[in-house]
Amino acid sequence: GGGSHRSKGDGENKVKGYTRSGFGKESSANGVITTADGQVYTSCKYGTCADGCGMNQTHSSKYHEQWKADKESFKLPSTHPFMVALAGKGKICLPVSSATAGTNQEQINVAVHQALAQFKSDTAKKLSVLETQSASPDIATAAGVLMNLFQ
């Protein structure tokens, strides 16, 4: 074979610092599936997709029987990882439990603001690197514009 033959997966021809995730691959953690386009699902191993099971937004395997008994009004507990993930994406509002009422709510608010500030700081740092070290002037310009949003 010729000297320019490229083999797949050997890593020899990878651009330094470049990584990507698999295309169309779904990631799952604690009963939560997040698709490549950011949609959140849970999964039930009982029944078929036609039955409403499989990857869905109504119930997990653990709650299959309760869901099956009352499909119209069944709701997963607010502590279920899927419900927490939906709340994190702003899709639902979880009720405030008595454990988080009152003074604890202020602590939660402070923690949320600290997390947001950390996210903004981390994002601005990464965009700054892109702005100053990118070989593409278009990417550098775009990174500079985006960086202003996080300052």
Side-chain angles (χ1 to χ4, degrees):
S4 64
H5 174 71
R6 299 175 86 181
S7 63
K8 293 183 179 180
D10 63 4
E12 289 179 18
N13 296 307
K14 289 187 178 179
V15 175
K16 186 177 181 182
Y18 171 80
T19 61
R20 69 165 177 85
S21 60
F23 295 108
K25 186 176 182 180
E26 297 157 355
S27 61
S28 175
N30 292 330
V32 177
I33 300 165
T34 304
T35 60
D37 64 355
Q39 294 295 310
V40 180
Y41 297 89
T42 190
S43 181
C44 175
K45 64 184 175 185
Y46 305 110
T48 65
C49 290
D51 298 329
C53 299
M55 199 166 84
N56 68 77
Q57 293 184 315
T58 58
H59 70 288
S60 61
S61 300
K62 180 178 178 179
Y63 295 95
H64 175 79
E65 290 302 320
Q66 291 149 293
W67 168 80
K68 189 175 174 185
D70 189 7
K71 292 180 183 180
E72 294 299 315
S73 63
F74 175 78
K75 297 269 188 249
L76 285 165
S78 62
T79 55
H80 189 281
F82 170 71
M83 299 301 279
V84 172
L86 283 180
K89 291 191 169 285
K91 303 287 185 186
I92 60 168
C93 291
L94 295 177
V96 176
S97 70
S98 58
T100 59
T103 59
N104 286 345
Q105 188 61 46
E106 182 59 30
Q107 292 171 340
I108 291 169
N109 291 344
V110 168
V112 167
H113 288 290
Q114 287 174 340
L116 183 57
Q118 186 66 47
F119 169 77
K120 284 181 162 185
S121 172
D122 291 349
T123 303
K125 287 175 189 173
K126 289 177 183 179
L127 287 169
S128 176
V129 169
L130 271 177
E131 181 185 35
T132 58
Q133 297 180 10
S134 176
S136 165
D138 292 336
I139 291 176
T141 300
V145 169
L146 288 172
M147 193 171 60
N148 289 331
L149 297 174
F150 293 97
Q151 292 178 340

